[in-house]
Amino acid sequence: MPYPQAPQNEQEEPLPDIGGSHQRPHALSEYNYPLPRPLFRHRTHKMVQLTETGNFTVEIPVPDDLLSRAAYTEDKEFTHMKYTAVTGDPDEFVKNDYTLRQVEMERETEIFIVVTMYNEDETLFLRTWKSIVKNIAHICSKRKSDVWGPDGWKKIVVCVVSDGREKASSIHPKTLSAIGILGAYQEGVIKTHVDTTGTSAHVFEYTTQKYIDTDYKIKGANMFRKYDLVPIQLLFCLKEKNAKKINSHRWFFNAFGRVLNPNVCVLIDVGTKPSDKSIYKLWKAFHNDSMVGGACGEIYVEKGPFWYKLLNPLVAAQNFEYKMSNILDKPFESCFGFISVLPGAFSAYRYKALRSSNEEAGPLAKYFLGEKMHDTASVGTANMYLAEDRILCFELVTKRKERWILKYIKDAHAETDVPNTLAEFISQRRRWLNGSFFAGVHSITRFYQIFRSGHSGARKFGLLIQTLYNVINLIFNWFSIANFYLIFYFLVGGTLTNPNDPLYKAWPGIAYLFVGFQQLYLFALLLCFLAALGNRPQGTRIVYFMCFFLFGVIMLISLIVSGYAMYRSFPQTPEEWGGSSALIVLFSRPVFRDLLVSISATYGAYFISSFIYLDPWHMFTSFLQYMVLLPSFTNILMVYAFCNLHDISWGTKGDTITPTFVAPVIVKREEDGRVVADVDLPVEKQDINLKYQEFMAALGKDNSKKNKKTKNSKKAKTEKEQEDYFRYFRTRVVLFWMASNLLLVSALTTPSVAQVLNISTSGSNTNNPYLTVIMWSVAILSVMRFIGSIVFLVKK
C-alpha cells in the first residue's frame, strides 16, 4: 500500500509558549501523599471494562495536532493511544494475558528495537530517535526486497524503556514531553494501582507520524514525504520503579518479546546514534546467514563539528581506543565466530537463539540471573554481572547442541558520546574493567562448554585457540602495573645510568634525573591507591589530574629514551660494523632487536591496518594523546577498579523521592457480571489538546528543576553484613594483586636474582631476558590481531 498523500500547505509546527508552569500545592492527602493539582477542566470519571483476566487497558483519543498533519487519520492505531497498567513481574506478562497492538492487528514483527534510558535529557533522546526514524525509512525504501517495502514499517516495533518514574534522577521531564509530542504518553492516564495491586510498568502504544528534529522542530506528514519517512509503531514502557538497565532488557525480551516473537532484536542506548543504514545492515547479516546469533557494528566517538572534541586529550585517547578495537579486536574475534562482547549501546541478536531449549535454560536465563542474585551473590559473581552482555555472548556461542556465531558488521556504524572529564571516565571504566575481568575469568574457567555446542571440530579448535589468547591477555592485565614499571625501570634506567653511554659521560648527573622520575612514578602510584580507597573520583579530581600529568610526563620521557636507545644501538664507527651486513649487526644487539620487533609489530599493525581499512585519520589526530595517556589508563584505572571491587552499583543508589499520589483504579462488579473500573481519565478533547500544547511548550524552554534527594539512614543488618563481606573480599583481592605485582618487581630488580636470570641494566646493548619476553609477547599478540583483521577483510 503506497504512502497516502498529505496536505501540501503544511509546514513545521512551531513550539507554542503557553506561559507559566503548573505547581503542585503543598497540601497532603490522608495517606500523606502530595495532593495533585487538577489535571483537567472537565469531569473525568469514566467506567472502563477490564479484560477477562482483570487487566486494566484503555484507549485514549490522541490530540488533534497529532492528526492535523498526518498521512493516516482513520485507523485506531493513529487516532487512539493504548495504555496498559501492567501488574506483576515482566516474566509473568504473557502468563497474565497481557497483549500488544501488533498481535491484535495480526502483524508479524521482523525487527524489534529497544532504546533503554534512565535520566538522560531530551537532547540525547532526540538524537537517537532521529537516527532510528531515518533507519526505518531506509528499510522501507527497499522496494525490491521480499521482506520490506513501503509497508515495511508494520514489521518494525520501537520499544522505549525508561528505568523508573518516581525517583529523583529517573526519566527527565523534557524527555517525557518529547515522547508525549510523539503521541505515546498523556498525563492523567497513569494508574499506580489496579484495585489493591501495585502497577509495575506503564505501557503506552501508539503509531506515531510525528518527527522531532534535534533542533526541536516538529514535522508533519509533508515533512515525512520530503524525507521519505514513514509511521513508526512506538511502544513506551515507563517502569514504576528504578531497577537498572538489565531489568529494562527483561521487560523487552521476556515480556514484550514473548508476545511479539520477533526475528531480530536490536539494542540501542539512548544517546547512541546509528547511521542511516546501520540497522538494515545488521538485519541483513541475520537474513543472509541463518547461523548468526548476534552481531554488532562499529561504535565510534562523537567528535563534534570540525572534530573540535578531539582537542580534549581524554576524548582523543578514547577515540583511538574505539577505532583500534573496531579495526583489530572485533575483526580478529569475528573470524573465530565469538566476539567477547557485543556492545549494549548498539548490537543485535536473533531472538530464537536467545530463548531456552527443552534441555536447559537459554542464554537469556543466564543473562538475567545477575539481576536477582545481586543481594546474595559473591563479589566475583556480582562484578561479573556488571558485564552481563559478555555472559550473554559466551552462553550464546556455547549453547548446547547448537552452533550460533557472533559477527562483526564493519559497515554498520553508530556514534556515541564518551566521558570528557576524568571523574566520569574513571567511574565508567571501573564498571568496565571489573565486569570484563570477572566475566573473562568466567568464560575461561568454563571453556569446556565449547564441547557441548554443535559447532564443527574446526570451529571448536579455533575457539580453544581464542581462549588461550584470552588467558594470555588476562595474565598480562593482572601484572600490568608491574610490567609497565619494569619496562620503565629497565629501559629508561638502563640507558640513563649506563656509564659507557656518551650522554652519561657528558652529564653524569643524568642518573639522578632517572632516580627522581623513578620516585615520582612510585609517588603517583601511591597517590592512586590513596585516592581509590574510600573516595569518589568526583571528590578527588585534583589528585587524579596530578596523577595523569605525572604519568604523562613519564611516558614522554620513556618514548624519548626509547628512541635514543635504538639510535645508540646502531654501530657508530666502521669498526663496530666489522664488515658484517647491517641486519646481522643490528639484530645481534638485544635492545635494538627487541624494541624494533615490538614497536614494528604493535604500531606497524596500527598504521597498516588503519590504512587498509581506509580509516587512518585517528592515527594523526589521536595517536599521540593515546600514547601519553597509556600509563594512566594502565595504572590509574586498574588501581581504582580493583580498589572498588566492593562497589557493584551503577551510581543510582539512594535516589529516592516521595511518590506522587495517583488515584487508583477502583474495580467494581456489575449486576450482569461484568468487571469494570471507575477511573479518572482524560475524556474531553479540550483537555487532551491543552496537555499536548504543554508538552510542546515544555520541550522548547529550560524549565527543568533539580530534585532533592532523600536519604534513608537506616540500613538492615543483612545489608551491613553483605557490605562488610564485599569490602573484605575487595581487601583480599587487592592485597593478592599488589603482592603478586610487587613480588615480580622485587624479584627482577634484586641484584642477586637479576644476576641469576642474567638481567642487566648496565648498558643499552646488554641482554635482558625479561624485556625480550615481554616485547616479543606483545609483538606476537599484535601480529595475531593484525592477521585476524586482514583475514576478516578478505572474507568480507
Side-chain angles (χ1 to χ4, degrees):
M1 176 180 177
Y3 196 85
Q5 296 294 316
Q8 300 297 317
N9 59 348
E10 299 291 348
Q11 300 296 328
E12 297 173 355
E13 297 182 33
L15 288 173
D17 185 3
I18 62 176
S21 61
H22 297 278
Q23 300 293 331
R24 188 175 287 124
H26 296 288
L28 298 177
S29 71
E30 59 179 314
Y31 301 101
N32 291 324
Y33 285 112
L35 285 171
R37 62 173 172 78
L39 285 173
F40 311 107
R41 299 176 179 177
H42 305 86
R43 181 175 175 82
T44 60
H45 279 284
K46 186 176 181 180
M47 301 300 292
V48 178
Q49 184 173 349
L50 302 185
T51 64
E52 294 181 359
T53 54
N55 298 330
F56 178 74
T57 297
V58 65
E59 292 188 329
I60 308 294
V62 299
D64 292 334
D65 284 349
L66 276 172
L67 299 175
S68 62
R69 302 174 185 186
Y72 296 94
T73 58
E74 296 182 359
D75 294 337
K76 205 168 189 178
E77 63 177 309
F78 306 106
T79 60
H80 287 72
M81 176 197 74
K82 179 183 176 183
Y83 167 74
T84 304
V86 182
T87 59
D89 191 78
D91 291 346
E92 301 171 343
F93 191 82
V94 175
K95 176 184 175 183
N96 293 337
D97 289 329
Y98 289 103
T99 187
L100 300 173
R101 267 186 171 177
Q102 286 70 30
V103 174
E104 295 172 350
M105 292 184 288
E106 298 182 347
R107 292 177 180 173
E108 65 177 21
T109 303
E110 180 67 22
I111 299 179
F112 192 20
I113 303 171
V114 63
V115 180
T116 52
M117 63 182 181
Y118 177 47
N119 60 350
E120 292 82 1
D121 61 21
E122 79 286 357
T123 302
L124 294 175
F125 171 76
L126 291 180
R127 65 180 292 187
T128 300
W129 178 256
K130 178 179 179 180
S131 64
I132 290 175
V133 168
K134 291 188 174 181
N135 269 273
I136 295 176
H138 172 75
I139 292 174
C140 294
S141 68
K142 301 291 181 180
R143 299 180 183 273
K144 295 182 180 180
S145 171
D146 56 345
V147 178
W148 305 111
D151 287 338
W153 58 269
K154 296 179 180 179
K155 299 180 181 180
I156 303 174
V157 180
V158 181
C159 175
V160 177
V161 184
S162 181
D163 193 19
R165 182 182 73 91
E166 287 294 2
K167 293 190 75 175
S169 52
S170 288
I171 186 166
H172 196 283
K174 282 195 172 185
T175 305
L176 196 59
S177 296
I179 296 173
I181 292 173
L182 297 176
Y185 173 77
Q186 288 188 31
E187 279 202 24
V189 177
I190 281 179
K191 302 302 171 189
T192 58
H193 289 78
V194 178
D195 206 7
T196 58
T197 306
T199 303
S200 53
H202 311 277
V203 177
F204 300 85
E205 299 174 75
Y206 183 67
T207 303
T208 183
Q209 300 177 78
K210 287 292 183 184
Y211 168 59
I212 310 174
D213 207 340
T214 49
D215 57 2
Y216 301 107
K217 292 181 180 178
I218 304 172
K219 300 169 182 178
N222 63 319
M223 303 303 293
F224 268 68
R225 192 175 62 257
K226 176 181 176 181
Y227 292 105
D228 197 26
L229 303 182
V230 293
I232 296 178
Q233 299 179 108
L234 178 56
L235 169 64
F236 175 44
C237 174
L238 178 58
K239 298 190 315 189
E240 180 66 17
K241 297 180 180 179
N242 173 268
K244 301 182 182 180
K245 178 180 174 181
I246 190 171
N247 179 264
S248 298
H249 278 169
R250 196 151 65 91
W251 278 102
F252 172 73
F253 283 114
N254 288 1
F256 312 134
R258 287 177 181 173
V259 174
L260 298 180
N261 192 26
N263 182 24
V264 177
C265 299
V266 180
L267 279 56
I268 301 176
D269 283 350
V270 69
T272 301
K273 182 182 177 183
S275 61
D276 295 353
K277 302 177 182 180
S278 293
I279 295 179
Y280 173 75
K281 289 177 178 178
L282 282 183
W283 170 84
K284 196 173 181 181
F286 294 90
H287 186 67
N288 292 340
D289 188 347
S290 61
M291 287 298 100
V292 174
C296 70
E298 175 190 352
I299 296 182
Y300 61 93
V301 173
E302 180 190 8
K303 305 179 187 69
F306 304 104
W307 293 8
Y308 80 92
K309 292 188 177 183
L310 296 183
L311 296 175
N312 183 334
L314 190 61
V315 175
Q318 293 176 84
N319 176 56
F320 185 84
E321 276 190 317
Y322 276 66
K323 280 294 182 181
M324 295 319 305
S325 174
N326 292 316
I327 292 175
L328 290 178
D329 295 327
K330 288 292 190 295
F332 168 74
E333 294 178 331
S334 185
C335 290
F336 293 95
F338 173 39
I339 300 175
S340 57
V341 56
L342 300 183
F346 181 58
S347 57
Y349 295 91
R350 192 185 300 273
Y351 187 65
K352 175 184 176 182
L354 298 177
R355 291 180 299 184
S356 299
S357 62
N358 294 329
E359 298 184 15
E360 62 179 14
L364 275 182
K366 303 292 180 63
Y367 178 62
F368 295 125
L369 199 61
E371 179 192 359
K372 297 181 179 180
M373 65 163 41
H374 264 2
D375 295 332
T376 58
S378 65
V379 187
T381 304
N383 276 279
M384 180 179 73
Y385 276 98
L386 287 176
E388 63 273 355
D389 41 6
R390 290 177 178 268
I391 305 299
L392 182 64
C393 292
F394 178 73
E395 294 293 336
L396 180 57
V397 171
T398 61
K399 191 175 182 180
R400 186 180 297 275
K401 295 182 180 180
E402 299 196 28
R403 49 194 182 98
W404 300 110
I405 63 172
L406 305 179
K407 197 170 184 179
Y408 172 63
I409 311 301
K410 177 181 175 294
D411 296 330
H413 309 282
E415 181 184 75
T416 188
D417 57 329
V418 295
N420 56 8
T421 63
L422 291 180
E424 185 184 1
F425 175 66
I426 294 171
S427 297
Q428 180 201 66
R429 291 304 173 96
R430 186 267 303 172
R431 300 190 297 268
W432 288 13
L433 289 173
N434 287 343
S436 61
F437 177 81
F438 284 97
V441 172
H442 171 83
S443 60
I444 289 172
T445 55
R446 288 166 175 75
F447 73 94
Y448 52 84
Q449 292 186 196
I450 294 171
F451 299 103
R452 72 178 185 180
S453 67
H455 293 298
S456 64
R459 187 173 293 280
K460 288 179 180 178
F461 179 75
L463 292 174
L464 290 177
I465 297 296
Q466 187 179 2
T467 301
L468 178 61
Y469 172 87
N470 292 334
V471 170
I472 297 173
N473 269 327
L474 190 68
I475 294 173
F476 269 90
N477 288 334
W478 180 264
F479 291 102
S480 58
I481 61 170
N483 287 333
F484 214 99
Y485 173 77
L486 287 171
I487 291 173
F488 167 78
Y489 178 83
F490 288 129
L491 192 59
V492 178
T495 302
L496 299 185
T497 61
N498 180 14
N500 299 320
D501 193 276
L503 187 61
Y504 182 90
K505 293 178 179 179
W507 182 29
I510 198 171
Y512 296 103
L513 182 64
F514 165 71
V515 174
F517 278 110
Q518 182 186 15
Q519 300 306 314
L520 280 177
Y521 191 111
L522 297 175
F523 174 72
L525 199 56
L526 178 62
L527 274 181
C528 292
F529 277 98
L530 293 176
L533 292 170
N535 297 292
R536 294 190 314 126
Q538 290 79 359
T540 51
R541 293 185 180 92
I542 297 177
V543 173
Y544 280 114
F545 179 81
M546 288 175 55
C547 293
F548 268 84
F549 178 77
L550 289 174
F551 283 127
V553 171
I554 290 170
M555 186 62 184
L556 285 174
I557 293 172
S558 300
L559 292 174
I560 294 172
V561 173
S562 298
Y564 176 75
M566 290 191 67
Y567 165 74
R568 287 298 304 157
S569 296
F570 278 89
Q572 304 297 312
T573 63
E575 291 76 14
E576 293 182 6
W577 286 104
S580 302
S581 67
L583 287 177
I584 294 176
V585 173
L586 291 175
F587 275 86
S588 66
R589 307 200 169 194
V591 171
F592 178 85
R593 179 194 64 221
D594 298 340
L595 278 175
L596 179 64
V597 169
S598 181
I599 291 174
S600 299
T602 304
Y603 304 127
Y606 289 168
F607 272 96
I608 295 174
S609 60
S610 297
F611 278 96
I612 291 177
Y613 274 70
L614 303 178
D615 192 9
W617 306 114
H618 56 280
M619 299 301 305
F620 305 102
T621 62
S622 306
F623 179 59
L624 181 60
Q625 297 93 316
Y626 172 76
M627 289 300 299
V628 172
L629 293 180
L630 183 58
S632 298
F633 284 15
T634 301
N635 293 313
I636 297 176
L637 299 181
M638 287 294 292
V639 169
Y640 184 80
F642 273 112
C643 287
N644 288 274
L645 282 174
H646 64 285
D647 183 6
I648 58 170
S649 70
W650 287 77
T652 60
K653 200 173 183 179
D655 294 337
T656 56
I657 192 172
T658 304
T660 305
F661 175 76
V662 178
V665 175
I666 301 175
V667 178
K668 299 179 180 179
R669 184 174 295 276
E670 298 291 315
E671 293 181 357
D672 57 2
R674 292 184 306 132
V675 179
V676 298
D678 184 7
V679 293
D680 285 329
L681 288 173
V683 293
E684 293 291 337
K685 264 301 182 70
Q686 296 180 34
D687 292 328
I688 295 173
N689 292 336
L690 176 62
K691 296 307 301 180
Y692 190 78
Q693 295 296 317
E694 289 183 12
F695 283 147
M696 291 194 290
L699 190 65
K701 62 182 179 180
D702 187 9
N703 58 0
S704 60
K705 296 182 179 181
K706 293 183 178 179
N707 291 310
K708 295 182 179 180
K709 299 179 181 180
T710 60
K711 295 183 178 179
N712 185 5
S713 58
K714 241 181 174 181
K715 292 187 177 180
K717 182 180 178 181
T718 53
E719 292 180 353
K720 276 292 186 183
E721 291 174 347
Q722 185 188 41
E723 184 179 353
D724 290 340
Y725 164 69
F726 275 31
R727 290 181 181 274
Y728 179 57
F729 180 87
R730 180 274 313 269
T731 302
R732 287 185 297 171
V733 171
V734 171
L735 283 175
F736 180 64
W737 178 56
M738 289 174 58
S740 57
N741 279 269
L742 284 174
L743 183 62
L744 178 62
V745 171
S746 300
L748 296 180
T749 55
T750 301
S752 58
V753 178
Q755 186 177 2
V756 172
L757 297 176
N758 195 23
I759 295 175
S760 174
T761 61
S762 60
S764 59
N765 293 322
T766 55
N767 183 45
N768 190 320
Y770 168 77
L771 285 180
T772 300
V773 170
I774 291 297
M775 292 185 178
W776 279 85
S777 298
V778 170
I780 292 172
L781 294 177
S782 298
V783 169
M784 288 180 63
R785 295 161 66 203
F786 176 74
I787 293 174
S789 70
I790 299 303
V791 171
F792 170 83
L793 204 58
V794 171
K795 289 174 63 178
K796 179 178 179 298

